[in-house]
Amino acid sequence: MLGKLKFWKDKDISTLSAEKVKKGDIPNHIAIIMDGNGRWAKKRALPRSAGHHEGMKVVRKVTKLANNLGVKALTVYAFSTENWKRPKLEVDYLMKLPEEFLDTFLPELIKENVQVRIMGNKEALPQHTKKAIEKAVSETRDNNGMILNFALNYGSRAELIQAVNRLLHDVKNNSTSDEITEEQFESYLMSNELEDPDLLIRTSGEQRLSNFMLWQLAYTEFWFSDVLWPDFSDEHLLKAISEFQRRGRRYGGI
Ligand code: V0D
């Protein structure tokens, strides 16, 4: 059991949930599909942007708890390559969230030793968004705590095709062999510095991958919940982790 940690008192987590989480067996890498922000807003007759804003605050809370629990990497799906199809006003609003998040929380992330990373095609992002995330990545580069990895303008098929194209380029230049191993292939993925996720969480009742980390999730445990992302609490994260700990992972073995 995790014992008494100061932040639990601060954060008012029931000891019940906390006690169910075993200290030694915390997933190294958790990935989250943060779904249900629009539905959360609709239920309250608020604009979708209000749901996204509330969801942003939850990213901060989850980052804090995951880091305190000893999670090594947290990947959150913030914006997919398909999300450009949404109304322009919504996209414009979403593209302001990284700045708002970082204006408020970057000092805290630096203090807590978190490293910010971005996975996805940065070229297509508005200049103001790119500037904010580049600043956060560079200002947290020398930290050695948890990696907070934002999947932003990310799509796994695009990632895989980009990997294949770069690989072809390197094969043509004779800078790699033409017989590729899994390890070599992985080095071309956008997640190349991270271990595969141990646990995938998807909120809001949908049970699909939506083009998220198709290669990396091959052996990952999935945890689905009906809770809408803005309602996702520390209790939910602890529950997901304690259920993860009760599953026996076999990686195809017996
Ligand atoms: C909206 C719920 C944080 C999902 C969370 C650009 C959808 C809140 C960021 C963020 C979004 C990204 C990069 C960064 C710092 C913060 C974010 C987007 C959406 C899309 F360096 N939340 N967040 N980015 N939402």
Side-chain angles (χ1 to χ4, degrees), residues 90-254:
E90 185 176 343
V91 171
D92 288 349
Y93 181 82
L94 285 166
M95 288 301 156
K96 289 185 193 132
L97 286 180
E99 286 149 286
E100 190 179 348
F101 181 96
L102 294 166
D103 281 346
T104 324
F105 303 133
L106 185 57
E108 189 174 299
L109 295 175
I110 292 171
K111 196 172 85 213
E112 289 175 7
N113 216 8
V114 170
Q115 312 173 55
V116 176
R117 305 271 181 90
I118 307 294
M119 173 172 86
N121 176 14
K122 274 158 274 192
E123 295 318 301
L125 300 175
Q127 195 55 40
H128 63 96
T129 311
K130 227 189 313 184
K131 234 180 90 187
I133 63 180
E134 278 166 3
K135 174 170 173 269
V137 170
S138 86
E139 288 188 10
T140 60
R141 185 160 285 143
D142 296 328
N143 288 352
N144 58 11
M146 188 180 79
I147 293 170
L148 174 57
N149 183 37
F150 288 97
L152 222 173
N153 194 22
Y154 172 85
S156 193
R157 289 185 176 181
E159 173 189 43
L160 290 164
I161 293 300
Q162 177 186 285
V164 170
N165 283 322
R166 290 186 178 169
L167 191 49
L168 283 170
H169 177 265
D170 287 353
V171 170
K172 278 184 209 149
N173 286 310
N174 286 316
S175 48
T176 192
S177 71
D178 55 7
E179 181 91 4
I180 303 302
T181 64
E182 288 189 9
E183 286 69 29
Q184 270 174 294
F185 184 74
E186 282 172 341
S187 74
Y188 289 86
L189 296 177
M190 292 168 176
S191 58
N192 59 3
E193 287 175 6
L194 301 175
E195 300 289 321
D196 290 342
D198 303 289
L199 172 62
L200 171 79
I201 294 172
R202 182 168 189 156
T203 56
S204 182
E206 308 301 341
Q207 303 195 356
R208 54 177 172 267
L209 283 184
S210 302
N211 202 14
F212 188 52
M213 301 183 92
L214 300 177
W215 173 281
Q216 297 89 337
L217 295 171
Y219 291 104
T220 303
E221 296 290 335
F222 291 3
W223 190 84
F224 298 108
S225 166
D226 288 338
V227 67
L228 305 178
W229 178 250
D231 294 325
F232 190 87
S233 68
D234 291 354
E235 292 276 354
H236 293 105
L237 182 62
L238 291 168
K239 187 154 189 275
I241 294 174
S242 74
E243 289 186 21
F244 165 85
Q245 292 177 334
R246 286 191 277 107
R247 299 185 191 173
R249 297 174 80 197
R250 285 182 294 274
Y251 302 93
I254 48 161

